[in-house]
Amino acid sequence: MTSEVRETFRPPWTRRFAGRPRIVGWITAVTALGLLLLILAVSVALRATVRAGIQEGITQEAGEIQQFSATGVDPTTGERFESTLRFIEVYLARQHPESSELLLGGLPAAAPTTEVRGADAVSFADLDSAARGRLLEPGGAGTLTTRDDGVISWRTVDLTTPTASTTQGYITIVVFHQPQEARTRTSLAMLVLIALGALAATGAVSWVVAGRILSHVDQFEAAADRAARQAHLSRLSEEGPEEYARLARAANLTLATAEEAAERNQRFVDDLTHELRTPLAIVRGSLEQPGGTSATVRVEIPSD
C-alpha cells in the first residue's frame, strides 16, 4: 500500500515550479492585454488631439488675419492699408509660424508672392501640382493627402480693401500633419518601451509572488511524500505557515477518518472470524470421526 501511495507523489525537482508558470502566464497575459488596450486608447487620443489642435490653430490664425485686416494700419504711413500686397507683406513679416506651418499670400488665383514657413514645413513650390491648385482656390479649406508630403490641412482667407467689395488677395494657412504625427509616433514608441518594461517587471514580480504563495503547497506535498515513504502512514506536522497548517489539518482529518473506517472493518473481520471458528471446529471434528468417506474435504481452521 505504501508503494502505491508513494507513486502518486512527484519527485522534488518536479514540484519546484508546479503551478508557477500558469500563474505567471495568466498574470502576464492579462497585464499585456491591459497595456495593449491602454496603448491603443492613447494612440487614438493623441491622433485625435493632434488633428483637433491643427484645426483649432488654423481657425485661430484665420481670425487673427481677419481682425488685423479690419483694424490694422500700415506702420510706414500710419493709415489703413490701401494695397492688398502691402497688407500681405506686413502681416506675414510679423508672423512666426509653427514648425509645421506654411503661410502664403498673393493676388487672387495667382501664385503666392510672399510665404513664410516653419522648419518642418514644405515650400509652396515643392508641393505637387494638385495640392498647389487646391490651395489657390478662393475661400478654400479642408484636408488632403499628398503623395510626398502626407496629409495637410489648409484654409484660405480672402482679403478685400476698404475701397473695394471684391476679393483683392488671399492669405492661406497650411499645416502639415507629418511632423506632428512623427512626434506622436515617437511618444507612442516610448510608451511601448515603458509598457514592455512594466510587463517584464510584472512577470518577474509575479514569479516571485507566485513562488511564495505556492511554497506552502510544496511544503505540504513534501511532508505528505515523507509520510507516505514510512512503513505506516503517520500524521503530518501542523506547524508552519497558516496556509500549510490548514492543508495539514485537512489531510490529518481525512487520515483519521480513514483510520477509523479501517479499524471498524478490522473489528468486523475479527468478530466474524471468531463467530465462525466454533461451528467450523465442530464440522471438522465430525468429519474426522470414524465413518468419514475418502471424499471428505479437510477444512483447516486458522489459529488466533
Side-chain angles (χ1 to χ4, degrees):
M1 175 178 178
T2 303
S3 61
E4 294 177 356
V5 174
R6 186 184 302 123
E7 291 175 359
T8 64
F9 293 93
R10 293 168 297 166
W13 56 86
T14 64
R15 294 197 305 260
R16 184 177 180 183
F17 301 126
R20 292 176 75 179
R22 290 194 300 272
I23 294 175
V24 174
W26 276 107
I27 293 176
T28 305
V30 171
T31 304
L33 179 60
L35 291 174
L36 177 61
L37 294 176
L38 175 63
I39 292 172
L40 291 177
V42 171
S43 174
V44 172
L46 284 178
R47 294 180 187 278
T49 301
V50 167
R51 291 171 183 170
I54 289 174
Q55 294 302 324
E56 182 180 354
I58 291 176
T59 301
Q60 180 180 354
E61 188 73 33
E64 292 175 357
I65 294 172
Q66 292 171 344
Q67 182 179 5
F68 188 72
S69 175
T71 62
V73 295
D74 191 327
T76 302
T77 64
E79 302 293 335
R80 297 289 300 276
F81 290 99
E82 294 295 335
S83 167
T84 303
L85 290 180
R86 175 61 179 168
F87 171 82
I88 294 172
E89 178 185 350
V90 171
Y91 180 82
L92 294 184
R94 298 172 58 179
Q95 301 306 304
H96 300 280
E98 299 290 338
S99 63
S100 58
E101 188 177 35
L102 169 67
L103 298 177
L104 309 170
L107 298 178
T113 59
T114 307
E115 75 173 31
V116 292
R117 60 190 175 93
D120 298 325
V122 178
S123 174
F124 178 82
D126 294 332
L127 293 171
D128 59 53
S129 58
R132 292 198 300 267
R134 295 288 301 277
L135 296 180
L136 293 178
E137 294 176 357
T143 299
L144 59 88
T145 302
T146 64
R147 182 183 59 186
D148 298 325
D149 304 309
V151 179
I152 63 175
S153 294
W154 88 98
R155 180 173 177 178
T156 299
V157 180
D158 294 331
L159 303 175
T160 60
T161 61
T163 59
S165 58
T166 59
T167 300
Q168 300 298 308
Y170 67 87
I171 292 180
T172 301
I173 309 152
V174 184
V175 178
F176 295 85
H177 289 224
Q178 274 190 349
Q180 300 192 41
E181 290 179 349
R183 288 191 287 270
T184 299
R185 288 192 294 269
T186 301
S187 299
L188 289 176
M190 293 180 61
L191 181 60
V192 169
L193 292 177
I194 293 173
L196 291 176
L199 190 62
T202 299
V205 172
S206 61
W207 179 266
V208 175
V209 173
R212 293 185 177 181
I213 293 175
L214 296 177
S215 61
H216 61 275
V217 177
D218 295 338
Q219 183 180 358
F220 169 78
E221 191 172 1
D225 192 9
R226 288 192 299 270
R229 293 176 184 275
Q230 298 176 3
H232 299 283
L233 289 177
S234 59
R235 300 294 179 88
L236 302 181
S237 172
E238 298 182 4
E239 296 181 358
E242 177 60 24
E243 294 82 1
Y244 163 77
R246 290 173 59 185
L247 291 173
R249 286 194 295 268
N252 289 336
L253 180 60
T254 302
L255 184 59
T257 303
E259 289 177 348
E260 292 177 0
E263 291 176 358
R264 287 195 299 270
N265 291 337
Q266 187 62 43
R267 287 196 299 270
F268 173 76
V269 172
D270 292 342
D271 294 341
L272 182 61
T273 302
H274 177 75
E275 294 296 332
L276 292 176
R277 183 174 290 111
T278 300
L280 289 176
I282 296 174
V283 171
R284 184 176 65 179
S286 299
L287 293 175
E288 290 178 350
Q289 290 179 355
T293 65
S294 59
T296 300
V297 178
R298 183 175 180 82
V299 180
E300 294 291 340
I301 304 300
S303 58
D304 293 337

CSV table of all heavy atoms in Angstrom, one decimal, residues 4 19 25 39 43 50 69 71 102 138 144 153 158 165 187 195 204 206 212 228 245 248 257 269 277:
chain,number,residue,atom,x,y,z
A,4,GLU,N,2.2,2.0,-3.4
A,4,GLU,CA,1.1,2.6,-4.3
A,4,GLU,C,0.9,4.1,-4.0
A,4,GLU,O,0.7,4.9,-4.8
A,4,GLU,CB,-0.2,1.8,-4.1
A,4,GLU,CG,-0.1,0.4,-4.6
A,4,GLU,CD,-1.4,-0.4,-4.3
A,4,GLU,OE1,-2.3,0.2,-3.7
A,4,GLU,OE2,-1.5,-1.5,-4.7
A,19,GLY,N,2.8,24.9,-11.0
A,19,GLY,CA,1.7,25.9,-10.9
A,19,GLY,C,2.2,27.3,-11.2
A,19,GLY,O,1.5,28.2,-11.6
A,25,GLY,N,1.9,33.2,-16.3
A,25,GLY,CA,1.4,33.3,-17.6
A,25,GLY,C,0.1,34.1,-17.7
A,25,GLY,O,-0.1,35.0,-18.5
A,39,ILE,N,-2.4,51.4,-24.8
A,39,ILE,CA,-1.6,52.0,-25.8
A,39,ILE,C,-2.5,52.4,-27.0
A,39,ILE,O,-2.4,53.4,-27.6
A,39,ILE,CB,-0.5,51.0,-26.3
A,39,ILE,CG1,0.5,50.9,-25.2
A,39,ILE,CG2,0.1,51.5,-27.6
A,39,ILE,CD1,1.6,49.8,-25.5
A,43,SER,N,-3.1,56.0,-28.3
A,43,SER,CA,-2.8,56.3,-29.7
A,43,SER,C,-4.0,57.1,-30.4
A,43,SER,O,-3.8,58.1,-31.1
A,43,SER,CB,-2.5,55.0,-30.5
A,43,SER,OG,-2.4,55.3,-31.9
A,50,VAL,N,-4.1,65.8,-32.0
A,50,VAL,CA,-3.3,66.4,-33.0
A,50,VAL,C,-4.1,67.1,-34.1
A,50,VAL,O,-4.0,68.2,-34.4
A,50,VAL,CB,-2.3,65.4,-33.6
A,50,VAL,CG1,-1.6,66.0,-34.9
A,50,VAL,CG2,-1.2,65.1,-32.6
A,69,SER,N,-7.0,92.6,-40.6
A,69,SER,CA,-7.4,93.3,-41.9
A,69,SER,C,-8.4,94.4,-41.6
A,69,SER,O,-8.5,95.4,-42.3
A,69,SER,CB,-8.1,92.2,-42.7
A,69,SER,OG,-8.7,92.8,-43.9
A,71,THR,N,-8.6,96.1,-38.6
A,71,THR,CA,-8.1,97.2,-37.6
A,71,THR,C,-6.7,97.6,-37.9
A,71,THR,O,-6.3,98.6,-37.3
A,71,THR,CB,-8.3,96.7,-36.2
A,71,THR,OG1,-7.4,95.5,-36.0
A,71,THR,CG2,-9.7,96.3,-35.9
A,102,LEU,N,2.8,76.7,-42.9
A,102,LEU,CA,3.2,77.5,-44.0
A,102,LEU,C,2.1,78.5,-44.3
A,102,LEU,O,0.9,78.2,-44.3
A,102,LEU,CB,3.3,76.5,-45.3
A,102,LEU,CG,3.4,77.2,-46.6
A,102,LEU,CD1,4.7,78.0,-46.8
A,102,LEU,CD2,3.2,76.2,-47.8
A,138,PRO,N,-10.2,80.1,-54.2
A,138,PRO,CA,-10.7,81.2,-53.3
A,138,PRO,C,-11.6,80.6,-52.2
A,138,PRO,O,-12.5,79.8,-52.4
A,138,PRO,CB,-11.5,82.0,-54.3
A,138,PRO,CG,-11.0,81.7,-55.6
A,138,PRO,CD,-10.6,80.3,-55.6
A,144,LEU,N,-6.3,67.3,-47.3
A,144,LEU,CA,-6.0,66.5,-48.4
A,144,LEU,C,-4.7,65.7,-48.2
A,144,LEU,O,-3.9,66.0,-47.3
A,144,LEU,CB,-5.8,67.3,-49.7
A,144,LEU,CG,-4.8,68.4,-49.8
A,144,LEU,CD1,-3.4,67.9,-50.2
A,144,LEU,CD2,-5.2,69.6,-50.7
A,153,SER,N,-3.6,70.2,-44.0
A,153,SER,CA,-4.9,70.9,-43.8
A,153,SER,C,-4.6,72.4,-44.1
A,153,SER,O,-3.5,72.9,-43.9
A,153,SER,CB,-5.4,70.8,-42.3
A,153,SER,OG,-5.7,69.4,-42.0
A,158,ASP,N,-9.9,85.2,-47.7
A,158,ASP,CA,-9.9,86.2,-48.8
A,158,ASP,C,-9.8,87.6,-48.2
A,158,ASP,O,-10.4,87.9,-47.2
A,158,ASP,CB,-11.2,86.0,-49.6
A,158,ASP,CG,-11.3,84.7,-50.3
A,158,ASP,OD1,-10.3,84.2,-50.7
A,158,ASP,OD2,-12.5,84.2,-50.5
A,165,SER,N,-15.1,96.0,-53.0
A,165,SER,CA,-16.0,95.0,-52.4
A,165,SER,C,-15.6,93.6,-52.9
A,165,SER,O,-16.1,92.6,-52.4
A,165,SER,CB,-17.5,95.3,-52.8
A,165,SER,OG,-17.6,95.3,-54.3
A,187,SER,N,6.3,59.4,-29.3
A,187,SER,CA,5.7,59.3,-28.0
A,187,SER,C,5.1,57.9,-27.8
A,187,SER,O,5.3,57.3,-26.7
A,187,SER,CB,4.6,60.4,-27.8
A,187,SER,OG,5.1,61.7,-27.9
A,195,ALA,N,5.9,50.2,-21.5
A,195,ALA,CA,4.9,49.1,-21.3
A,195,ALA,C,5.6,47.7,-21.3
A,195,ALA,O,5.3,46.9,-20.5
A,195,ALA,CB,3.8,49.1,-22.4
A,204,ALA,N,8.4,39.2,-13.6
A,204,ALA,CA,9.4,38.9,-12.6
A,204,ALA,C,8.8,38.9,-11.2
A,204,ALA,O,9.0,38.0,-10.4
A,204,ALA,CB,10.6,39.8,-12.6
A,206,SER,N,5.5,38.7,-10.4
A,206,SER,CA,4.5,37.6,-10.3
A,206,SER,C,5.2,36.2,-10.1
A,206,SER,O,4.6,35.4,-9.4
A,206,SER,CB,3.6,37.6,-11.5
A,206,SER,OG,4.3,37.3,-12.7
A,212,ARG,N,6.0,32.4,-3.6
A,212,ARG,CA,5.7,32.5,-2.1
A,212,ARG,C,4.3,32.0,-1.8
A,212,ARG,O,4.1,31.3,-0.8
A,212,ARG,CB,5.9,33.9,-1.7
A,212,ARG,CG,7.3,34.5,-1.8
A,212,ARG,CD,7.4,35.9,-1.2
A,212,ARG,NE,8.8,36.3,-1.2
A,212,ARG,CZ,9.2,37.5,-0.7
A,212,ARG,NH1,8.3,38.4,-0.3
A,212,ARG,NH2,10.4,37.9,-0.8
A,228,ALA,N,4.3,9.2,3.3
A,228,ALA,CA,4.0,8.0,2.5
A,228,ALA,C,5.1,7.0,2.4
A,228,ALA,O,4.9,5.8,2.2
A,228,ALA,CB,3.6,8.5,1.1
A,245,ALA,N,-0.5,24.8,7.4
A,245,ALA,CA,-1.2,24.2,8.6
A,245,ALA,C,-2.6,23.8,8.2
A,245,ALA,O,-3.1,22.8,8.6
A,245,ALA,CB,-1.2,25.2,9.7
A,248,ALA,N,-2.4,20.7,6.2
A,248,ALA,CA,-2.1,19.6,7.1
A,248,ALA,C,-3.2,19.1,7.9
A,248,ALA,O,-3.5,17.9,8.1
A,248,ALA,CB,-0.8,20.0,7.9
A,257,THR,N,-10.2,9.9,9.6
A,257,THR,CA,-11.4,9.3,9.2
A,257,THR,C,-11.2,7.9,8.5
A,257,THR,O,-11.9,6.9,8.8
A,257,THR,CB,-12.2,10.2,8.3
A,257,THR,OG1,-12.4,11.4,8.9
A,257,THR,CG2,-13.5,9.6,7.8
A,269,VAL,N,-14.1,-8.0,10.8
A,269,VAL,CA,-13.4,-9.2,10.3
A,269,VAL,C,-13.1,-10.1,11.5
A,269,VAL,O,-13.3,-11.3,11.5
A,269,VAL,CB,-12.2,-8.9,9.5
A,269,VAL,CG1,-11.4,-10.2,9.2
A,269,VAL,CG2,-12.6,-8.2,8.2
A,277,ARG,N,-15.4,-19.5,13.9
A,277,ARG,CA,-14.4,-20.5,14.3
A,277,ARG,C,-15.1,-21.8,15.0
A,277,ARG,O,-14.7,-22.9,14.7
A,277,ARG,CB,-13.4,-19.9,15.3
A,277,ARG,CG,-12.2,-20.9,15.7
A,277,ARG,CD,-11.2,-20.2,16.5
A,277,ARG,NE,-10.4,-19.3,15.6
A,277,ARG,CZ,-10.4,-18.0,15.7
A,277,ARG,NH1,-11.2,-17.4,16.6
A,277,ARG,NH2,-9.7,-17.2,14.9
